[in-house]
Every structure is written in C-alpha cells, then in structure tokens.
Amino acid sequence: MAVNYRAPRGTRDILPEEVGLWRHLEETARAIFTRAGYGETRTPIFEDTELFLRSTGEDTDIVEKEMYTLERADGASITLRPEGTPSIARAYIEHDLAKQAPFRKFFYVGPMFRYERPQAGRSRQFHQAGVEAFGSDSPLLDVETIDLAAQFFDAIGLTGYEVRINSIGCAGCRGDFRQLLRSRLESRRSQLCENCQRRFERNVFRILDCKEEGCRGIIVTLPVVADHLCPACAEHWREVQAGLKALGRPYVHDPHLVRGLDYYTRTVYEFVHGGLGARNAVCGGGRYDNLVGELGGAQVGGIGFAVGFEPTIAALSGEAREQATRTGSRAGLDVYVVRASDEARLLTLQLAHELRQAGFASDLDFEGRSLKAQMRSANRLQARFALILGEEELARGTVTVREMATASQESVPRGEVSEWLRRRTAARPGSTS
Ligand code: HAM
C-alpha cells in the first residue's frame, strides 16, 4: 500500500528556494540584537513541564491547551518549549548570572511549539527571535526593547505595522483592580464563556485577554488597569511613553491590551499588522518584574519580546519578501565544471574538489548529461565561470575557462586554475575568495 507521508499539520518544510528569506530574518535579528549588547543564547528545545506551569502560567491558553507534553515512563514530564522566556530565565538563575553582573541581556532565535489551530501566519511549530534583559527596572530598557523590535521590522522592509502599548501595573495595583473587576463582573458572570467563568474564580485578570466574542463585548465596558496604577507604576508608564516620543517611535495606547501570559507587569506591547486577520501580532512583549524571583532567583526586574517569523513573513509585501530572499540566499556559483569528454569524468570531480577546498563555490554534473545541457546548468545555477575539460584539454593539461556573462574563453594550465580564479574574482562582491 502506498503511504502518503506529509509534514504534520501545522508544520512545514522550508526548501532551499525559500531558505534565503529565513536566513535573512535570522541574520538581521542577530545583527540588530548583537549591536545593542544582547548575547545569543541557546537553550534546550524541551524543558521540565513544571517550568512553564510556574512561569507562562497555569491559567493561560498556552498551558491549558497548547503544550506538547511528553510523560515519560519514569514519571518525568517534559514539554517542547512553547516560548523562549522561561528557558532564558531558568538559565539566568541556574548559572547564577545575577551574582556576576545582575544586569544581563540575552537573545535567541529558534523554533517554538504550540498546539494551535493553523491559520494565516500561525502554526504549531513556529519560529521566534526574541530578547530578554534581566536586572533593571528602568523604563528606558522598555523603550530600548520596543525600539529594537521596530528596527528589526524596518530593516527587513515590513511596512504598515502598528505598535500598541499599555501598562498593566504591578501586583500591588492589580490587587485593588482585581476587586474592582470582580465587583463589575459579578452580575454578568453567567454571560461569560466557560473558561472565563472559571477564570472569575481563579484569576479574574485573565478574563481581559479572552478572545471570545461574547466576552470581548463585556470586556470593552470594564474599567482599564492603566487608570488604576500606583504612583510608581504611573511614573514608569509616563517615562516609557516619553522615551518612545524621544526616539520618534510612534505608538498607540491600547488600554485593553493585557497579553496572554501570566508573568507580565507594568509595560506590555504588541506589534500588529492589518494584513493578518484576527491573530494579527507579529511581535509581543513586556516587562516581568517578578518572574526571576518567582522561579527561585534574585528579585530582579526584566523585560523582553519575541518576534514571530511566520506572521512576519505573512505580513511582508511580495516585493519585500523577494528582496529579503535575494539578500539571504547564497545562490550563485563561482564555477561549474563541465565534462566535454567521458575520459574527463574523474578529473571534473577532482577539479571541483580542489576548487571547493580553495574556497570557490563549485559544482558539476552527476547525471551524465550532454555538453549543452551542462552549459544550461551552469547558467541556471548562475555560475560565473564554466570550466571545460575535454579531450584537447586533457592532452594539453589545460582547462578552458569560459566567463558566462561575456562568453569569452581562455585556456589556463590546470595547476594554475585556482590562482587564475582568485585574481579574477577578487573584485567580485560576495565572492568567496
Ligand atoms: P507571544 O505573544 O506568545 O509572546 O508570542 C510572540 C509572537 O510570536 C507573537 O506575537 C506571534 O508573532 C508569534 N507567535 C506566537 N504563537 C505563534 C504561532 N502559533 N504561530 C506563529 N507565530 C506565533 C511570547 O512568546 C513571549 N515569550 C514574548 C516575550 C518575551 N515576552 C517577554 N519576553
């Protein structure tokens, strides 16, 4: 029986034709974050499940229904990371980094896993580039992170995004606000969705992030937390906005933005794009002043964000996508070695081998195709030179070098080909030599 294997739903292959786009996004993020002093960090793809329960939060959609969790026979429970923040916080604590220098900046690029309904820009294995900074409660750091995300989107040519920000205060302001929410929702409890009825008891604040239409209708009539901040949080919020203005970064205050993860305090933000439908965020982030402390580390403030590559790619214009793909792809050969006689078979491989070792991108035919077909391949692969080996060249110990763009040909002694190429390609931008 023929079996039709396909990539699992919500995942996809990124083939060589497309990988340049991904590489460009990854490398742009790396360059921008590194330039601002963030250090690349690679943590495991899976963690103890408990880490996400404690940090992402038990009442969040992610923990309630989206985690890929594996219960092992020995009783251990591990989960494919649904986000990067908890792992970086764990690493910061585990390696006692606060002791060396409490203020540290990290970034990461890689796959995350959530069991979500696949739709425009949303998948089950998706890819994020994110930053996390621990050890400061300065509002300037909030501004720096928002600016970095914006720099990333600008650099890859994304237009039409909007920065939405809000402050959800600290545990102190939220304590009083919770009471207010409960009293305002008490009489409308039965109109809330099933999840929110449960949240009313366990974590009333989470109701504010419900995406159900019925609940949204109620949520917009509720008081907003930014109007109930304590003096310190109000000052922080004022300074974040002043900082964004000073950098000339436009933003919109969205008083209903609360974000769907439990660890946030004070500043929260999202970058949204109109072309994406209901799940319209290309980036989400915010401050988490209690996260490290709650995971058993020092009581230090922190903030970060993650950009989602799938939604970002979905939001890019066709033109920007092509440009990014071109920039990120390493297509283009220096050399295509052409076999013009069967006797030259082994020599073509030898020559390609030598040239690759000398640093030239080189390829050759493995399908026994005609001279004409090999020249077509050289063209298709954008080789700068075709190196032709036929009977005559074998007899004379030479190679015929043809520059593809001009069709000019030259005979070069075999032992000097690499040196000859080095001289000719020295001026070529992007050349490997
Ligand atoms: P998040 O809002 O869950 O936050 O995800 C950040 C971004 O990742 C979203 O805005 C979206 O672009 C993308 N994303 C999320 N889920 C999917 C999915 N299923 N498919 C495609 N893209 C997706 C976090 O993950 C936090 N860790 C961000 C953060 C870092 N906060 C502080 N530091």
Side-chain angles (χ1 to χ4, degrees):
M1 193 180 78
V3 183
N4 226 345
Y5 291 115
R6 305 182 73 89
R9 186 164 143 78
T11 72
R12 61 185 287 254
D13 304 309
I14 300 165
L15 297 177
E17 295 74 17
E18 211 192 337
V19 85
L21 171 62
W22 289 80
R23 202 146 51 189
H24 181 58
L25 262 54
E26 290 158 7
E27 285 171 6
T28 303
R30 281 201 173 91
I32 288 174
F33 302 162
T34 304
R35 221 184 286 146
Y38 291 74
E40 181 161 1
T41 311
R42 301 184 185 198
T43 60
I45 298 283
F46 58 87
E47 298 271 358
D48 287 341
T49 303
E50 183 66 24
L51 176 69
F52 302 114
L53 304 188
R54 293 267 312 266
S55 49
T56 309
E58 293 196 49
D59 297 319
T60 60
D61 284 350
I62 294 178
V63 169
E64 274 177 352
K65 52 186 190 210
E66 295 174 356
M67 295 206 302
Y68 282 89
T69 296
L70 177 69
E71 308 291 346
R72 288 175 32 89
D74 62 4
S77 174
I78 56 173
T79 292
L80 296 184
R81 61 183 189 190
E83 55 149 341
T85 312
S87 304
I88 303 284
R90 181 209 32 80
Y92 176 78
I93 299 165
E94 180 175 336
H95 302 284
D96 215 1
L97 300 179
K99 208 155 131 199
Q100 299 166 17
F103 184 62
R104 286 288 296 255
K105 305 203 245 188
F106 307 90
F107 80 85
Y108 50 92
V109 179
M112 308 288 161
F113 306 84
R114 297 183 197 174
Y115 186 78
E116 278 195 60
R117 190 171 68 77
Q119 54 189 298
R122 305 294 280 203
S123 47
R124 293 181 174 169
Q125 171 171 334
F126 62 100
H127 301 79
Q128 287 185 338
V131 311
E132 315 292 347
F134 301 108
S136 163
D137 48 21
S138 166
L140 296 187
L141 188 61
D142 307 26
V143 178
E144 173 175 282
T145 62
I146 294 169
D147 184 47
L148 284 182
Q151 277 189 36
F152 169 79
F153 290 121
D154 294 345
I156 60 159
L158 182 72
T159 52
Y161 65 81
E162 187 176 86
V163 182
R164 300 221 172 131
I165 65 171
N166 192 22
S167 175
I168 57 169
C170 62
C173 6
R174 246 180 293 163
D176 297 341
F177 185 68
R178 264 197 196 98
Q179 293 313 320
L180 180 66
L181 277 184
R182 285 172 146 274
S183 66
R184 292 289 292 273
L185 281 169
E186 185 70 64
S187 60
R188 306 178 76 178
R189 253 173 100 167
S190 58
Q191 294 160 256
L192 294 170
C193 74
E194 218 173 278
N195 271 340
C196 284
Q197 299 204 14
R198 196 162 28 89
R199 288 169 180 152
F200 183 88
E201 298 296 344
R202 289 167 58 104
N203 186 351
V204 69
F205 197 73
R206 292 278 315 128
I207 293 176
L208 299 178
D209 192 50
C210 183
K211 304 285 185 282
E212 294 287 324
E213 224 170 277
C215 296
R216 293 260 30 117
I218 298 174
I219 292 162
V220 293
T221 67
L222 296 173
V224 295
V225 63
D227 290 339
H228 296 266
L229 299 178
C230 68
C233 287
E235 176 60 13
H236 188 98
W237 175 223
R238 198 194 57 72
E239 285 190 45
V240 170
Q241 296 181 78
L244 288 173
K245 284 186 186 125
L247 297 194
R249 285 282 177 211
Y251 66 88
V252 174
H253 173 207
D254 177 353
H256 294 289
L257 179 70
V258 292
R259 307 263 306 131
L261 300 102
D262 270 359
Y263 45 65
Y264 290 118
T265 52
R266 293 189 164 173
T267 315
V268 289
Y269 54 89
E270 278 182 355
F271 285 53
V272 297
H273 195 279
L276 288 176
R279 309 298 301 270
N280 60 358
V282 288
C283 168
R287 183 162 270 289
Y288 39 71
D289 287 340
N290 304 319
L291 176 62
V292 175
E294 274 168 15
L295 290 177
Q299 192 53 55
V300 293
I303 183 162
F305 67 78
V307 165
F309 282 170
E310 279 80 359
T312 299
I313 288 171
L316 278 178
S317 69
E319 202 182 317
R321 213 180 294 181
E322 273 165 36
Q323 173 65 39
T325 309
R326 266 198 304 279
T327 316
S329 52
R330 312 247 162 84
L333 283 176
D334 293 312
V335 164
Y336 194 85
V337 186
V338 174
R339 181 196 69 256
S341 136
D342 274 348
E343 278 72 66
R345 258 178 89 240
L346 186 56
L347 202 55
T348 54
L349 180 63
Q350 258 179 322
L351 194 56
H353 156 86
E354 281 165 26
L355 292 176
R356 287 169 184 166
Q357 285 194 317
F360 296 102
S362 314
D363 209 350
L364 69 155
D365 169 65
F366 289 99
E367 298 164 282
R369 295 188 314 158
S370 69
L371 177 63
K372 223 165 143 189
Q374 290 180 67
M375 292 307 288
R376 274 202 304 273
S377 294
N379 247 325
R380 184 174 51 81
L381 296 169
Q382 300 166 38
R384 183 165 174 203
F385 298 101
L387 264 52
I388 304 161
L389 283 165
E391 270 171 36
E392 215 179 300
E393 286 85 0
L394 281 183
R396 291 211 218 134
T398 59
V399 174
T400 299
V401 183
R402 180 187 176 91
E403 184 164 37
M404 299 300 287
T406 60
S408 64
Q409 295 199 164
E410 208 174 304
S411 177
V412 178
R414 216 187 295 150
E416 295 171 22
V417 172
S418 155
E419 192 43 46
W420 187 94
L421 284 170
R422 202 176 305 287
R423 265 185 274 119
R424 289 295 297 270
T425 56
R428 182 192 180 199
S431 158
T432 48
S433 61

